[in-house]
Amino acid sequence: MLRQAVFLDRDGVLNQERGYLHRLADLELIPGVAKAVRRLNDAGMFTVLVSNQSGPARGYYPPSHVDALHERLATLLAAEAGAALERMLYAPTLSPTEGGTHAGYSHWSTWRKPNTGMLVAAAWRFGLDLSASFMVGDKATDIDLARNAGCRGILVQTGFGEQVRSGSYQYTVEPDYLAADLSDAAGWILSAATSW
Ligand SMILES: [Mg+2]
């Protein structure tokens, strides 16, 4: 039987939005996030981080630094609430026209959101039902991704979310649910998931 998943953007959803994180210590959880992930874990939702991380393509840092940030993220989630993300996926690529400069990562990729590559790969690998799954993000591209993949899209108002709603960042989108933060999003997901 296919499983339901919750796909989670990283910056501005799980951790504070601070631009490119050159230092590990700058990755800090948004209050309430660890408990929210734990609720999703306890409800049996398959949780997957899906993040655009163009730092490697821009030559800012190698993918090993992104991996180290994700280790810190996992440690903080576990320490605060015994929460866990079952997989952490990210797209390190960026096409040259968008600013990619590093030879190995400067190309267009199906994994870069709002393209659906990460979700499709996870669905095949872990037996997920995308039409019964959820995508939580703070950017218009996250909601576009939800649409493109056939998931329900939730826009949180942490990170860039508030600016997306006011039309002052990217463009305005209509999510399936507009959440104050990930705690609010998790509550909506769990009630929507049980009535599905
Ligand atoms: Mg984000």
Side-chain angles (χ1 to χ4, degrees), residues 9 11-12 17 138-139 142:
D9 173 47
D11 303 319
E17 171 57 61
D138 70 320
K139 287 190 179 178
D142 293 310

Side-chain angles (χ1 to χ4, degrees), residues 74-116:
T75 301
L76 295 176
L77 288 170
E80 200 177 307
L85 298 169
E86 277 155 286
R87 284 294 183 280
M88 295 197 223
L89 306 179
Y90 65 93
T93 57
L94 194 65
S95 62
T97 50
E98 291 181 289
T101 55
H102 191 281
Y105 305 103
S106 297
H107 56 84
W108 186 89
S109 166
T110 59
W111 272 40
R112 185 168 168 81
K113 300 184 289 186
N115 300 321
T116 58

Side-chain angles (χ1 to χ4, degrees), residues 2 7 16 27 31 34 52 66 84 93 95 99 101 113 117 119 123 130 134-135 140 150-151 154-156 165 179:
L2 297 176
F7 298 100
Q16 306 281 2
L27 188 146
N52 279 352
V66 181
T93 57
S95 62
T101 55
K113 300 184 289 186
L119 274 58
L130 292 181
F134 304 84
M135 171 71 216
C151 298
I154 297 138
L155 184 75
V156 291
R165 283 307 294 173

Side-chain angles (χ1 to χ4, degrees), residues 13-195:
V13 173
L14 295 169
N15 55 278
Q16 306 281 2
E17 171 57 61
R18 289 181 179 150
Y20 291 91
L21 301 177
H22 295 270
R23 301 183 314 157
L24 296 184
D26 288 338
L27 188 146
E28 290 191 294
L29 295 182
I30 294 170
V33 154
K35 268 192 187 160
V37 173
R38 177 63 190 267
R39 281 182 72 193
L40 296 172
N41 293 151
D42 289 347
M45 303 298 287
F46 194 86
T47 53
V48 187
L49 176 84
V50 289
S51 184
N52 279 352
Q53 291 298 327
S54 63
R58 295 178 192 274
Y60 293 167
Y61 36 69
S64 59
H65 177 70
V66 181
D67 295 336
L69 286 165
H70 290 174
E71 257 178 60
R72 174 174 165 80
L73 176 61
T75 301
L76 295 176
L77 288 170
E80 200 177 307
L85 298 169
E86 277 155 286
R87 284 294 183 280
M88 295 197 223
L89 306 179
Y90 65 93
T93 57
L94 194 65
S95 62
T97 50
E98 291 181 289
T101 55
H102 191 281
Y105 305 103
S106 297
H107 56 84
W108 186 89
S109 166
T110 59
W111 272 40
R112 185 168 168 81
K113 300 184 289 186
N115 300 321
T116 58
M118 289 190 282
L119 274 58
V120 171
W124 278 100
R125 174 69 180 80
F126 303 109
L128 309 175
D129 183 350
L130 292 181
S131 69
S133 296
F134 304 84
M135 171 71 216
V136 186
D138 70 320
K139 287 190 179 178
T141 46
D142 293 310
I143 304 307
D144 288 347
L145 168 62
R147 295 275 182 275
N148 292 341
C151 298
R152 273 167 285 183
I154 297 138
L155 184 75
V156 291
Q157 297 192 79
T158 48
F160 288 107
E162 211 172 317
Q163 292 174 60
V164 168
R165 283 307 294 173
S166 69
S168 60
Y169 181 79
Q170 292 189 327
Y171 41 90
T172 308
V173 285
E174 289 307 323
D176 292 285
Y177 183 65
L178 181 63
D181 54 19
L182 187 59
S183 298
D184 184 13
W188 185 81
I189 286 167
L190 294 178
S191 58
T194 48
S195 64

